[in-house]
Structure formats: structure tokens, C-alpha cells
Amino acid sequence: PYAEKEASCSYQSDFKAVFTATFEFTETVTISESGIFNDTKTASPDMLCRQTFTGKTYSSGESLEIVWTITIS
């Protein structure tokens, strides 16, 4: 249930877009990567960005906000 979520997108400054998604957990999970895809509704969307990191465990009732700032140059 936490694999995908539509992010909000905002404009930060010249050539910068900010994508934000907040996940609220109802069970214990470990998160170790985040990414941006070009579509959440197709069977095989394209991955535009990906970041892996040391796993962080979240318990029921906790939340995680993922923020990506993309700069086009």
C-alpha cells in the first residue's frame, strides 16, 4: 500500500520543481528507497529519479514526507 502515491508539485524558482508526498503508516514498515515515475496509472511507468538509502523503520501512526527538488539545466 505504500509503493506509490501521487505527489503534489510546486514551483520553487527558475528551473526548479518540488515534488512532495506524505505517507502515513498503519503497520510497521522499513523504507529504503524513493523515486519519481511519470505515471501511477499505467502498468509499466518510466522511472525518472531514484534514491536508495539505509532502511528506516516506521511504526503504525508515524508518517514520512518525501521531498524531491528537481533542477533543470
Side-chain angles (χ1 to χ4, degrees):
Y2 308 111
E4 57 187 51
K5 182 171 193 154
E6 191 167 318
S8 65
C9 183
S10 62
Y11 170 79
Q12 185 179 59
S13 62
D14 290 342
F15 307 104
K16 289 187 179 183
V18 178
F19 297 86
T20 305
T22 302
F23 296 85
E24 297 183 10
F25 304 109
T26 58
E27 60 190 5
T28 300
V29 297
T30 300
I31 305 295
S32 60
E33 69 180 315
S34 68
I36 296 178
F37 293 83
N38 64 347
D39 193 341
T40 60
K41 296 170 180 50
T42 62
S44 57
D46 297 312
M47 181 181 278
L48 307 175
C49 304
R50 178 178 183 239
Q51 179 66 50
T52 61
F53 41 87
T54 302
K56 167 97 170 99
T57 301
Y58 295 87
S59 299
S60 179
E62 292 186 301
S63 62
L64 168 66
E65 181 180 59
I66 302 284
V67 179
W68 281 82
T69 302
I70 307 296
T71 303
I72 308 298
S73 63

Coordinates of all heavy atoms in Angstrom, one line a residue:
P1 N 0.8 -1.2 0.0 CA 0.0 0.0 0.0 C 0.8 1.3 0.0 O 0.3 2.3 -0.2 CB -0.8 -0.1 1.3 CG 0.0 -1.0 2.2 CD 0.7 -1.9 1.2
Y2 N 2.1 1.1 0.3 CA 3.0 2.3 0.3 C 3.9 2.5 -0.9 O 4.7 3.3 -0.9 CB 3.8 2.3 1.6 CG 3.0 2.1 2.8 CD1 3.1 0.9 3.6 CD2 2.1 3.0 3.3 CE1 2.3 0.7 4.7 CE2 1.3 2.8 4.4 CZ 1.4 1.7 5.1 OH 0.7 1.4 6.2
A3 N 3.7 1.6 -1.9 CA 4.6 1.6 -3.0 C 4.4 2.8 -3.9 O 5.4 3.2 -4.5 CB 4.3 0.3 -3.8
E4 N 3.3 3.4 -4.0 CA 3.1 4.5 -4.9 C 2.1 5.5 -4.4 O 1.2 5.1 -3.6 CB 2.7 4.1 -6.3 CG 1.4 3.3 -6.3 CD 1.2 2.7 -7.7 OE1 2.0 2.1 -8.3 OE2 0.0 2.9 -8.2
K5 N 2.3 6.7 -4.7 CA 1.4 7.8 -4.3 C 1.6 9.0 -5.2 O 2.8 9.3 -5.6 CB 1.7 8.2 -2.8 CG 0.8 9.3 -2.3 CD 1.0 9.4 -0.8 CE -0.1 10.3 -0.3 NZ -0.4 10.0 1.1
E6 N 0.6 9.6 -5.6 CA 0.7 10.8 -6.4 C 1.2 12.0 -5.6 O 0.7 12.3 -4.5 CB -0.7 11.2 -7.0 CG -0.6 12.2 -8.1 CD -1.9 12.3 -8.9 OE1 -2.4 11.2 -9.2 OE2 -2.2 13.4 -9.2
A7 N 2.3 12.6 -6.0 CA 2.9 13.7 -5.3 C 2.3 15.0 -5.7 O 1.8 15.2 -6.8 CB 4.4 13.7 -5.6
S8 N 2.3 16.0 -4.8 CA 2.0 17.4 -5.2 C 3.2 18.0 -5.9 O 4.4 17.6 -5.5 CB 1.5 18.2 -4.0 OG 2.6 18.3 -3.1
C9 N 3.0 18.9 -6.7 CA 4.2 19.5 -7.4 C 4.0 21.0 -7.3 O 2.9 21.6 -7.5 CB 4.2 19.1 -8.9 SG 5.6 19.8 -9.8
S10 N 5.1 21.7 -7.0 CA 5.1 23.2 -6.9 C 6.3 23.7 -7.6 O 7.3 23.0 -7.8 CB 5.0 23.6 -5.4 OG 6.2 23.2 -4.7
Y11 N 6.3 25.0 -7.8 CA 7.4 25.8 -8.5 C 8.2 26.4 -7.4 O 7.6 27.1 -6.5 CB 6.7 26.8 -9.4 CG 7.7 27.8 -10.0 CD1 8.6 27.4 -11.0 CD2 7.8 29.1 -9.5 CE1 9.5 28.4 -11.5 CE2 8.7 30.0 -10.0 CZ 9.5 29.6 -11.0 OH 10.4 30.5 -11.5
Q12 N 9.5 26.2 -7.4 CA 10.3 26.8 -6.3 C 11.0 28.1 -6.8 O 10.9 29.1 -6.2 CB 11.4 25.8 -5.8 CG 12.2 26.4 -4.7 CD 13.2 25.4 -4.2 OE1 14.0 25.0 -5.0 NE2 13.1 25.0 -3.0
S13 N 11.7 28.0 -8.0 CA 12.3 29.2 -8.6 C 12.7 28.8 -10.0 O 12.3 27.7 -10.5 CB 13.6 29.5 -7.8 OG 14.5 28.5 -7.8
D14 N 13.5 29.6 -10.7 CA 13.8 29.3 -12.1 C 14.3 27.9 -12.3 O 15.3 27.5 -11.6 CB 14.8 30.3 -12.6 CG 14.3 31.7 -12.7 OD1 13.1 31.9 -12.8 OD2 15.1 32.7 -12.8
F15 N 13.6 27.2 -13.1 CA 14.0 25.8 -13.5 C 14.0 24.8 -12.3 O 14.7 23.8 -12.4 CB 15.4 25.8 -14.2 CG 15.4 26.8 -15.3 CD1 16.1 28.0 -15.2 CD2 14.8 26.5 -16.5 CE1 16.1 28.9 -16.3 CE2 14.8 27.4 -17.6 CZ 15.5 28.6 -17.5
K16 N 13.3 25.0 -11.2 CA 13.2 24.1 -10.1 C 11.8 23.7 -9.8 O 10.9 24.6 -9.7 CB 13.8 24.7 -8.9 CG 15.3 24.8 -8.9 CD 15.9 25.2 -7.6 CE 17.4 25.3 -7.7 NZ 18.0 25.6 -6.4
A17 N 11.5 22.4 -9.8 CA 10.2 21.9 -9.4 C 10.4 21.1 -8.1 O 11.4 20.4 -7.9 CB 9.6 21.0 -10.5
V18 N 9.4 21.2 -7.2 CA 9.4 20.4 -6.0 C 8.2 19.4 -5.9 O 7.1 19.8 -6.1 CB 9.3 21.4 -4.8 CG1 9.3 20.6 -3.5 CG2 10.5 22.4 -4.8
F19 N 8.6 18.2 -5.8 CA 7.6 17.1 -5.7 C 7.5 16.6 -4.2 O 8.6 16.3 -3.6 CB 7.9 15.9 -6.6 CG 8.0 16.3 -8.0 CD1 9.1 16.8 -8.6 CD2 6.8 16.1 -8.8 CE1 9.1 17.1 -9.9 CE2 6.9 16.4 -10.2 CZ 8.0 16.9 -10.7
T20 N 6.3 16.6 -3.6 CA 6.2 16.2 -2.2 C 5.1 15.2 -2.1 O 4.0 15.3 -2.6 CB 5.8 17.4 -1.4 OG1 6.8 18.5 -1.6 CG2 5.8 17.1 0.1
A21 N 5.4 14.1 -1.3 CA 4.4 13.1 -0.9 C 4.6 12.7 0.5 O 5.7 12.6 1.0 CB 4.5 11.9 -1.8
T22 N 3.5 12.6 1.2 CA 3.5 12.2 2.6 C 2.8 10.8 2.8 O 1.7 10.6 2.3 CB 2.8 13.2 3.5 OG1 3.5 14.5 3.4 CG2 2.9 12.8 5.0
F23 N 3.5 9.9 3.4 CA 3.0 8.5 3.6 C 2.7 8.4 5.1 O 3.5 8.7 5.9 CB 4.0 7.5 3.2 CG 4.4 7.5 1.7 CD1 5.3 8.4 1.2 CD2 3.7 6.7 0.8 CE1 5.6 8.5 -0.1 CE2 4.0 6.7 -0.5 CZ 5.0 7.6 -1.0
E24 N 1.5 7.9 5.4 CA 1.1 7.6 6.8 C 0.9 6.1 6.9 O 0.2 5.5 6.2 CB -0.2 8.4 7.1 CG 0.0 9.9 7.0 CD -1.2 10.7 7.4 OE1 -2.2 10.1 7.9 OE2 -1.2 11.9 7.2
F25 N 1.6 5.6 7.9 CA 1.7 4.1 8.0 C 0.7 3.6 9.0 O 0.5 4.2 10.1 CB 3.2 3.7 8.4 CG 4.2 4.3 7.5 CD1 5.0 5.3 7.8 CD2 4.2 3.7 6.2 CE1 6.0 5.8 6.9 CE2 5.2 4.2 5.3 CZ 6.0 5.2 5.6
T26 N 0.2 2.4 8.7 CA -0.8 1.7 9.6 C -0.2 0.4 10.0 O -1.0 -0.4 10.7 CB -2.1 1.5 8.8 OG1 -1.8 0.7 7.6 CG2 -2.8 2.8 8.4
E27 N 1.0 0.2 9.7 CA 1.7 -1.1 10.2 C 3.2 -0.7 10.2 O 3.6 0.3 9.7 CB 1.4 -2.2 9.2 CG 1.9 -1.9 7.8 CD 1.4 -2.9 6.8 OE1 0.7 -3.8 7.2 OE2 1.8 -2.8 5.6
T28 N 4.0 -1.6 10.8 CA 5.5 -1.4 10.8 C 6.1 -1.7 9.4 O 5.8 -2.8 8.8 CB 6.1 -2.3 11.9 OG1 5.6 -1.9 13.1 CG2 7.6 -2.1 11.9
V29 N 6.8 -0.8 8.9 CA 7.4 -0.9 7.5 C 8.8 -0.4 7.6 O 9.2 0.5 8.4 CB 6.6 -0.2 6.4 CG1 5.3 -0.8 6.3 CG2 6.5 1.3 6.7
T30 N 9.7 -0.9 6.7 CA 11.0 -0.3 6.5 C 11.1 0.3 5.1 O 10.9 -0.4 4.2 CB 12.1 -1.4 6.8 OG1 12.0 -1.9 8.1 CG2 13.5 -0.8 6.6
I31 N 11.5 1.5 5.0 CA 11.6 2.2 3.8 C 13.1 2.4 3.4 O 13.9 2.9 4.3 CB 10.9 3.6 3.8 CG1 9.5 3.4 4.3 CG2 11.1 4.3 2.5 CD1 8.6 2.7 3.3
S32 N 13.5 2.0 2.2 CA 14.9 2.2 1.9 C 15.1 2.8 0.5 O 16.3 2.8 0.0 CB 15.6 0.8 1.9 OG 15.0 -0.1 1.1
E33 N 14.1 3.3 -0.2 CA 14.3 3.9 -1.4 C 13.1 4.8 -1.7 O 12.0 4.6 -1.2 CB 14.5 3.0 -2.6 CG 13.3 2.1 -3.0 CD 13.6 1.2 -4.1 OE1 14.2 1.6 -5.1 OE2 13.2 0.0 -4.0
S34 N 13.3 5.8 -2.6 CA 12.2 6.6 -3.1 C 12.5 6.9 -4.6 O 13.6 6.8 -5.0 CB 12.1 7.9 -2.3 OG 13.2 8.8 -2.5
G35 N 11.4 7.3 -5.3 CA 11.6 7.5 -6.7 C 10.4 8.3 -7.3 O 9.4 8.5 -6.6
I36 N 10.6 8.8 -8.5 CA 9.6 9.5 -9.2 C 9.3 8.8 -10.5 O 10.3 8.5 -11.2 CB 10.0 11.0 -9.5 CG1 10.1 11.8 -8.2 CG2 8.9 11.7 -10.4 CD1 10.6 13.2 -8.3
F37 N 8.1 8.5 -10.8 CA 7.6 7.9 -12.0 C 6.8 8.9 -12.8 O 6.2 9.8 -12.2 CB 6.8 6.6 -11.7 CG 7.7 5.5 -11.1 CD1 7.9 5.5 -9.7 CD2 8.2 4.5 -11.8 CE1 8.7 4.5 -9.1 CE2 9.0 3.5 -11.3 CZ 9.2 3.5 -9.9
N38 N 6.7 8.7 -14.1 CA 5.9 9.6 -14.9 C 4.4 9.3 -15.0 O 3.7 10.0 -15.5 CB 6.5 9.6 -16.4 CG 6.4 8.3 -17.1 OD1 6.1 7.3 -16.5 ND2 6.6 8.3 -18.4
D39 N 4.0 8.2 -14.3 CA 2.6 7.9 -14.3 C 2.3 6.8 -13.2 O 3.1 5.9 -13.0 CB 2.2 7.3 -15.7 CG 0.7 7.2 -15.9 OD1 -0.1 7.2 -14.9 OD2 0.3 7.0 -17.1
T40 N 1.3 7.0 -12.5 CA 0.9 6.0 -11.5 C -0.2 5.1 -11.9 O -0.6 4.1 -11.2 CB 0.5 6.7 -10.2 OG1 -0.7 7.5 -10.4 CG2 1.6 7.5 -9.6
K41 N -0.7 5.3 -13.1 CA -1.9 4.5 -13.6 C -1.6 3.5 -14.6 O -2.4 2.7 -14.9 CB -3.0 5.5 -14.0 CG -3.4 6.4 -12.8 CD -4.3 7.5 -13.3 CE -4.8 8.4 -12.2 NZ -3.9 8.9 -11.3
T42 N -0.4 3.5 -15.2 CA -0.1 2.5 -16.3 C 0.6 1.3 -15.6 O 1.2 1.4 -14.5 CB 0.8 3.1 -17.4 OG1 2.0 3.5 -16.8 CG2 0.1 4.3 -18.0
A43 N 0.6 0.2 -16.4 CA 1.3 -1.0 -15.9 C 2.8 -0.9 -15.8 O 3.4 -1.5 -14.9 CB 0.9 -2.2 -16.8
S44 N 3.4 -0.1 -16.6 CA 4.9 0.0 -16.6 C 5.3 1.4 -16.9 O 5.8 1.8 -17.9 CB 5.5 -0.9 -17.7 OG 5.0 -0.6 -18.9
P45 N 5.2 2.3 -15.8 CA 5.6 3.7 -16.0 C 7.1 3.8 -16.0 O 7.9 2.9 -15.6 CB 5.1 4.4 -14.7 CG 5.0 3.3 -13.7 CD 4.7 2.0 -14.5
D46 N 7.6 4.9 -16.5 CA 9.1 5.1 -16.6 C 9.5 5.8 -15.3 O 8.9 6.7 -14.7 CB 9.4 6.1 -17.7 CG 9.1 5.6 -19.1 OD1 9.4 4.4 -19.3 OD2 8.4 6.3 -19.9
M47 N 10.7 5.3 -14.7 CA 11.3 5.8 -13.5 C 12.1 7.0 -13.9 O 13.1 6.9 -14.7 CB 12.1 4.8 -12.8 CG 12.7 5.4 -11.5 SD 13.7 4.2 -10.6 CE 12.4 3.3 -9.7
L48 N 11.8 8.2 -13.4 CA 12.6 9.4 -13.8 C 13.7 9.7 -12.8 O 14.7 10.2 -13.2 CB 11.6 10.6 -13.8 CG 10.4 10.4 -14.7 CD1 9.5 11.6 -14.6 CD2 10.8 10.2 -16.1
C49 N 13.5 9.3 -11.5 CA 14.5 9.5 -10.5 C 14.4 8.4 -9.5 O 13.4 7.9 -9.2 CB 14.3 10.8 -9.7 SG 14.2 12.3 -10.7
R50 N 15.6 8.1 -8.8 CA 15.6 7.0 -7.8 C 16.7 7.3 -6.8 O 17.8 7.7 -7.2 CB 15.8 5.6 -8.4 CG 15.8 4.5 -7.4 CD 16.0 3.2 -8.1 NE 16.0 2.1 -7.1 CZ 17.0 1.2 -6.9 NH1 18.0 1.3 -7.7 NH2 16.9 0.3 -6.0
Q51 N 16.4 7.1 -5.5 CA 17.4 7.2 -4.5 C 17.2 6.1 -3.5 O 16.1 5.9 -3.0 CB 17.2 8.6 -3.8 CG 18.2 8.8 -2.6 CD 19.6 9.0 -3.1 OE1 19.9 9.7 -4.1 NE2 20.5 8.2 -2.6
T52 N 18.3 5.4 -3.2 CA 18.3 4.4 -2.2 C 19.0 4.9 -1.0 O 19.9 5.8 -1.1 CB 19.0 3.1 -2.7 OG1 20.3 3.3 -3.0 CG2 18.2 2.5 -3.9
F53 N 18.7 4.4 0.2 CA 19.3 4.8 1.4 C 19.2 3.7 2.5 O 18.5 2.8 2.3 CB 18.7 6.2 1.9 CG 17.2 6.2 1.8 CD1 16.4 5.7 2.8 CD2 16.6 6.7 0.7 CE1 15.0 5.7 2.7 CE2 15.2 6.8 0.5 CZ 14.4 6.3 1.5
T54 N 19.9 3.9 3.6 CA 19.8 2.9 4.7 C 18.4 2.8 5.1 O 17.7 3.9 5.4 CB 20.7 3.3 5.8 OG1 22.1 3.4 5.3 CG2 20.7 2.3 7.0
G55 N 17.9 1.6 5.3 CA 16.5 1.4 5.7 C 16.1 2.1 7.0 O 16.9 2.1 8.0
K56 N 15.0 2.8 7.1 CA 14.5 3.4 8.3 C 13.1 2.8 8.6 O 12.3 2.7 7.7 CB 14.3 4.9 8.0 CG 13.5 5.6 9.0 CD 14.4 6.3 10.1 CE 13.6 7.2 10.9 NZ 13.2 6.7 12.2
T57 N 12.9 2.3 9.8 CA 11.7 1.6 10.2 C 10.7 2.6 10.8 O 11.1 3.5 11.6 CB 12.0 0.5 11.2 OG1 12.9 -0.4 10.5 CG2 10.7 -0.2 11.6
Y58 N 9.5 2.5 10.3 CA 8.4 3.4 10.8 C 7.3 2.5 11.4 O 7.0 1.4 10.9 CB 7.8 4.2 9.7 CG 8.7 5.2 9.1 CD1 9.6 4.8 8.1 CD2 8.8 6.5 9.6 CE1 10.5 5.8 7.6 CE2 9.7 7.4 9.1 CZ 10.6 7.0 8.1 OH 11.5 7.9 7.6
S59 N 6.7 2.9 12.5 CA 5.6 2.1 13.1 C 4.3 2.7 12.7 O 4.1 3.8 12.2 CB 5.8 2.2 14.6 OG 7.0 1.7 15.0
S60 N 3.2 1.9 13.1 CA 1.9 2.4 12.8 C 1.6 3.7 13.5 O 2.1 4.0 14.7 CB 0.9 1.4 13.4 OG -0.4 1.8 13.2
G61 N 1.0 4.7 12.8 CA 0.8 6.0 13.3 C 1.8 7.0 13.0 O 1.6 8.2 13.1
E62 N 3.0 6.6 12.5 CA 4.0 7.5 12.1 C 3.9 7.9 10.6 O 3.1 7.2 9.9 CB 5.4 6.9 12.3 CG 5.8 6.7 13.7 CD 7.2 6.2 13.9 OE1 7.5 5.2 13.4 OE2 8.0 7.0 14.6
S63 N 4.5 8.9 10.2 CA 4.4 9.3 8.8 C 5.8 9.7 8.3 O 6.7 10.0 9.0 CB 3.5 10.5 8.6 OG 3.9 11.6 9.3
L64 N 5.9 9.7 6.9 CA 7.2 10.1 6.3 C 6.9 11.0 5.1 O 6.0 10.7 4.3 CB 7.9 8.8 5.7 CG 9.0 9.0 4.7 CD1 10.2 9.7 5.4 CD2 9.4 7.7 4.1
E65 N 7.5 12.1 5.1 CA 7.4 13.1 4.0 C 8.6 13.0 3.1 O 9.7 13.1 3.5 CB 7.2 14.5 4.5 CG 7.0 15.5 3.3 CD 6.9 16.9 3.8 OE1 7.8 17.4 4.5 OE2 5.8 17.5 3.5
I66 N 8.4 12.7 1.8 CA 9.4 12.6 0.8 C 9.4 13.9 0.0 O 8.3 14.3 -0.5 CB 9.3 11.4 -0.2 CG1 9.3 10.1 0.6 CG2 10.3 11.4 -1.3 CD1 10.6 9.6 1.1
V67 N 10.5 14.6 -0.2 CA 10.5 15.8 -1.0 C 11.7 15.7 -2.0 O 12.8 15.4 -1.6 CB 10.8 17.1 -0.1 CG1 10.9 18.3 -0.9 CG2 9.7 17.2 1.0
W68 N 11.3 15.8 -3.2 CA 12.3 15.9 -4.3 C 12.3 17.3 -4.9 O 11.3 17.8 -5.3 CB 11.9 14.9 -5.4 CG 12.2 13.5 -5.2 CD1 11.5 12.6 -4.4 CD2 13.3 12.7 -5.7 NE1 12.0 11.3 -4.4 CE2 13.2 11.4 -5.2 CE3 14.4 13.0 -6.5 CZ2 14.1 10.4 -5.5 CZ3 15.3 12.1 -6.8 CH2 15.2 10.8 -6.3
T69 N 13.5 17.9 -5.0 CA 13.7 19.1 -5.7 C 14.4 18.8 -7.0 O 15.6 18.4 -6.9 CB 14.4 20.2 -4.9 OG1 13.7 20.4 -3.7 CG2 14.5 21.5 -5.6
I70 N 13.8 19.1 -8.1 CA 14.4 18.8 -9.4 C 14.8 20.1 -10.1 O 14.0 21.0 -10.3 CB 13.4 18.0 -10.4 CG1 12.9 16.8 -9.7 CG2 14.1 17.7 -11.7 CD1 13.9 15.7 -9.3
T71 N 16.1 20.2 -10.5 CA 16.6 21.4 -11.2 C 16.9 21.0 -12.6 O 17.6 20.1 -12.9 CB 17.9 21.9 -10.5 OG1 17.6 22.2 -9.1 CG2 18.3 23.2 -11.2
I72 N 16.3 21.8 -13.5 CA 16.5 21.6 -15.0 C 17.6 22.6 -15.4 O 17.5 23.8 -15.2 CB 15.2 21.8 -15.8 CG1 14.1 21.0 -15.2 CG2 15.5 21.5 -17.3 CD1 14.2 19.5 -15.3
S73 N 18.6 22.0 -16.1 CA 19.7 22.9 -16.6 C 20.1 22.6 -18.0 O 19.8 21.5 -18.4 CB 20.9 23.0 -15.6 OG 21.5 21.7 -15.5

